[in-house]
Amino acid sequence: MSRYFLFAAIFLATVTNANANIFFQSATGPFDSWGCCGGSDISSTQFIGASFSINQTTEVEAIGGHFNNINGSPSFGLGGTIFGAIVNLGGNGLPTGNLTQLDGVLAYSVFTPNSGIDSQVSINATLLPGAYGLIFGSGLFGANGRIALTLVQPNQAVTSDGEIISINNSSFPNWGYMNDEPNRYRMFLSGSVVSAVPEPETYLILTVGLVMVGLFQRRRSCNSRNLSIA
C-alpha cells in the first residue's frame, strides 16, 4: 500500500495551475488620442521597457503592450517588426547591454504590432522568483520596424510595482529610469503560476483515487483469505 501513497505525494508536489492570465501590467488606460502625440518611439535607436518582480515560479506565455502610430501619422516611419524580450536585470535593477547587444536575454519574440490597441505575441519562458525586465525595441533579433508605445493620460494610469526603463542614442545612452513619464506606458505579461498547492478539484480526484486503491487492496486481501480456507 505504501507505494500508492508515494505516488500520491509525488502527484501533489508536481501539480501546476494552468490558468493563464496577465500577472504584470505597467499601466492601463485611458490613452491619449493618437492624433495628439502617439507616444514614445520604439526603434533601433530607442528601447523602452518595464522592470517587474515575481515571487512564484511562473510560466510566461505572452508579452505585449499598447502601441500606436508615431506622432499619429502612419507615414511617419511606421512599419516592419519590433522585438519583445524578457531579460535578467543587473545589480542596479536595470538591464545590461546597449542598443547593439542586449545582455541577459531569457526569451524573445519578433512581431508586427497593431496600432491603437493592445498587441501581444506568444513567448515561452519559465521564470523563477526574482526581478526581470520586459524590453521592446528594434534592430536586434531580425526586427527592423518602428512604432510607439502609447502614453496613458496623465493622472489616469493604474500602475503596478514596475519601473519604466529606457536606453537611446541621445538622452539615455545607458539604461535608466524614465522618471518624467513614470508608468504611463502599457506593457504586460501573461502566464501561469507554477504552484505546489493543488486546486480543490485535485484534492477530490486524489481522495477518490485513494479510496478506490484501498477498496481494491481490501478485495485482494479477502480473496487471498478465501483461497487459503478453501
Side-chain angles (χ1 to χ4, degrees), residues 10 58 66 98 124 127 135 153 169 180 204 226:
I10 294 173
T58 302
H66 194 286
N98 50 47
N124 185 15
L127 303 182
I135 309 298
Q153 292 178 6
N169 62 354
D180 57 332
L204 177 60
N226 290 337

Side-chain angles (χ1 to χ4, degrees), residues 139-155:
L140 300 178
F141 314 117
N144 59 5
R146 187 183 185 195
I147 200 166
L149 271 170
T150 316
L151 280 170
V152 177
Q153 292 178 6
N155 305 318

Side-chain angles (χ1 to χ4, degrees), residues 1-14 206 210 213:
M1 187 71 173
S2 60
R3 65 180 180 272
Y4 296 105
F5 285 109
L6 176 61
F7 169 78
I10 294 173
F11 181 72
L12 279 169
T14 57
L206 184 61
L210 290 175
V213 169

Side-chain angles (χ1 to χ4, degrees), residues 18 59 89 96 102 105-106 117 125 131 159 165 170 175 194-195 198 212 225:
E59 297 281 354
L89 300 178
T96 58
L102 190 59
V105 176
L106 300 173
I117 61 174
T159 63
I165 51 183
S170 56
W175 283 102
V194 178
S195 175
M212 292 181 66
R225 286 198 297 270

Side-chain angles (χ1 to χ4, degrees), residues 119-172:
S119 293
Q120 70 176 27
V121 61
S122 298
I123 200 168
N124 185 15
T126 301
L127 303 182
L128 299 176
Y132 301 91
L134 171 61
I135 309 298
F136 292 100
S138 188
L140 300 178
F141 314 117
N144 59 5
R146 187 183 185 195
I147 200 166
L149 271 170
T150 316
L151 280 170
V152 177
Q153 292 178 6
N155 305 318
Q156 297 290 324
V158 178
T159 63
S160 67
D161 295 330
E163 298 282 351
I164 303 300
I165 51 183
S166 177
I167 187 173
N168 59 38
N169 62 354
S170 56
S171 57
F172 279 93

Side-chain angles (χ1 to χ4, degrees), residues 205-225:
I205 294 172
L206 184 61
T207 301
V208 171
L210 290 175
V211 169
M212 292 181 66
V213 169
L215 292 174
F216 177 74
Q217 286 293 102
R218 182 177 180 182
R219 182 177 180 181
R220 286 185 59 187
S221 179
C222 291
N223 288 341
S224 296
R225 286 198 297 270

